[in-house]
Amino acid sequence: INPTSITIITLSIIMGTIMTMSSSNWLMAWIGLELNMLAILPIISKPKTTRASEATIKYFLTQAIASAMMLLSSTTNAWQTGSWDILELKNKFSTTIMTLSLMMKMGAAPIHFWLPEVLQGTTLQTALLITTWQKLAPISLMYMISNNIQPALLMSAGILSMIVGGLGGINQTQLRKTMAYSSINNLGWTIMIMALSPNLAVMNIFIYMIMTTPIFLMMTSTSTKTLQNLTTTWTTSTATTLSIALLMLSTSGLPPFTGFMPKMLALNELITQKLTTLATLAIMTSLVSLLFYLRITYLIMVLTS
């Protein structure tokens, strides 16, 4: 891609996200998301492979369906309340449809199927973009309407995402798919706690982004794509491989790493609200996801030494 195109695409992605995050009107938020989606499509389809083309089409179709659901929801709400304001989402039907469309845009369960496939078909840098930056706009919209969403919907979607993220990642040998399921798992925590403490949910997603970015960057610098690659990079770049292992443990939420803090605060919030069953479920699913992170670390530490 030539420099002019890269500049336009980058500006469009940044502009789209900022536009959505700063707008108070559903139509402007929708335009921002559309701009963002159209700008990232050439980046996903840049590698001239069938996998990349397939990933582009899958990404486009899911995002287009989510956008259509978003328009349906905001139009129905405007028809009922006479307002296009984001904070005026009072209609129950509209709120449910909007929540589902935002979850689809982020790749949360049960509408997560596109995410592992799209990540597997793209380059590592694009995968990083999809798992971090592309989540900012939908998360900010969900944050704005969090008071109107039924807590039961958010909590059940959150727990489901944790289970899917935990079980999906266990059998993977491809690191991009593992990171996709890790993203779904973390989104589960974010969505679940959004019902009780939206600020904590935002902190959780930011900490996840801070931990995921260096993992992807180090995987890019060592051209690591599978678990087998990880075991061979030890000889050439020991410090990088060791850092990946520690960051993986941090992402899993193992104490005393950084990733443990948002999980601990989320559990504290759940127990304070007397939702002990939910807290227990969250801990159990966290242990399942810990299994595949530990497997990666075990492979790096034991097999390479």
Side-chain angles (χ1 to χ4, degrees):
I1 303 178
N2 62 3
T4 319
S5 306
I6 288 175
T7 313
I8 293 169
I9 288 169
T10 312
L11 281 174
S12 300
I13 290 176
I14 295 167
M15 273 270 301
T17 305
I18 291 171
M19 203 166 151
T20 304
M21 288 172 82
S22 58
S23 64
S24 60
N25 184 296
W26 277 120
L27 284 177
M28 288 305 286
W30 176 77
I31 291 167
L33 285 168
E34 287 299 296
L35 181 66
N36 196 320
M37 175 189 78
L38 291 172
I40 203 172
L41 291 176
I43 299 177
I44 302 173
S45 62
K46 189 177 171 277
K48 296 287 172 275
T49 58
T50 38
R51 286 305 299 267
S53 311
E54 187 189 329
T56 313
I57 292 165
K58 280 178 179 170
Y59 186 81
F60 173 72
L61 287 176
T62 44
Q63 297 294 318
I65 293 165
S67 293
M69 283 167 70
M70 218 178 136
L71 270 184
L72 167 72
S73 163
S74 49
T75 311
T76 315
N77 186 66
W79 181 36
Q80 293 279 329
T81 61
S83 167
W84 283 96
D85 201 294
I86 289 179
L87 300 174
E88 290 295 315
L89 196 70
K90 298 281 190 278
N91 189 345
K92 240 178 193 176
F93 169 77
S94 299
T95 313
T96 310
I97 297 289
M98 185 60 73
T99 311
L100 287 172
S101 78
L102 292 176
M103 275 160 50
M104 195 173 188
K105 281 213 170 278
M106 290 185 280
I111 328 166
H112 66 280
F113 301 101
W114 62 272
L115 188 64
E117 296 299 319
V118 169
L119 288 205
Q120 189 54 38
T122 59
T123 59
L124 286 163
Q125 294 100 317
T126 315
L128 167 65
L129 194 63
I130 293 169
T131 48
T132 54
W133 183 264
Q134 292 298 91
K135 285 193 172 63
L136 288 175
I139 280 279
S140 62
L141 285 177
M142 196 178 260
Y143 176 83
M144 284 188 243
I145 62 166
S146 58
N147 291 335
N148 303 330
I149 309 171
Q150 290 165 305
L153 175 67
L154 285 177
M155 285 176 186
S156 46
I159 287 289
L160 192 62
S161 294
M162 285 185 214
I163 294 168
V164 166
L167 295 176
I170 286 177
N171 212 17
Q172 298 298 336
T173 53
Q174 295 286 340
L175 283 175
R176 275 169 296 182
K177 274 196 174 176
T178 309
M179 292 308 288
Y181 283 110
S182 157
S183 165
I184 293 166
N185 182 356
N186 197 275
L187 261 180
W189 282 91
T190 308
I191 290 171
M192 181 187 70
I193 209 62
M194 185 75 80
L196 303 173
S197 170
N199 291 342
L200 187 55
V202 171
M203 187 193 79
N204 183 47
I205 201 83
F206 272 115
I207 288 179
Y208 168 74
M209 286 175 187
I210 290 163
M211 291 183 300
T212 306
T213 308
I215 295 178
F216 271 111
L217 293 176
M218 283 188 275
M219 274 159 55
T220 310
S221 67
T222 53
S223 301
T224 309
K225 285 175 184 163
T226 60
L227 282 178
Q228 197 177 1
N229 292 153
L230 262 184
T231 56
T232 53
T233 50
W234 181 267
T235 44
T236 50
S237 47
T238 317
T240 307
T241 321
L242 194 62
S243 302
I244 291 176
L246 291 173
L247 279 163
M248 284 284 188
L249 286 178
S250 183
T251 315
S252 72
L254 192 74
F257 296 103
T258 319
F260 175 60
M261 184 181 68
K263 284 187 170 58
M264 185 185 70
L265 291 171
L267 289 172
N268 178 48
E269 189 67 40
L270 286 172
I271 294 162
T272 311
Q273 302 279 359
K274 296 191 169 48
L275 296 164
T276 24
T277 319
L278 205 61
T280 314
L281 262 172
I283 293 166
M284 298 301 278
T285 50
S286 208
L287 287 174
V288 175
S289 64
L290 183 63
L291 195 65
F292 69 80
Y293 289 112
L294 283 174
R295 194 179 97 205
I296 295 169
T297 321
Y298 172 80
L299 267 174
I300 294 172
M301 299 297 190
V302 178
L303 298 184
T304 45
S305 58

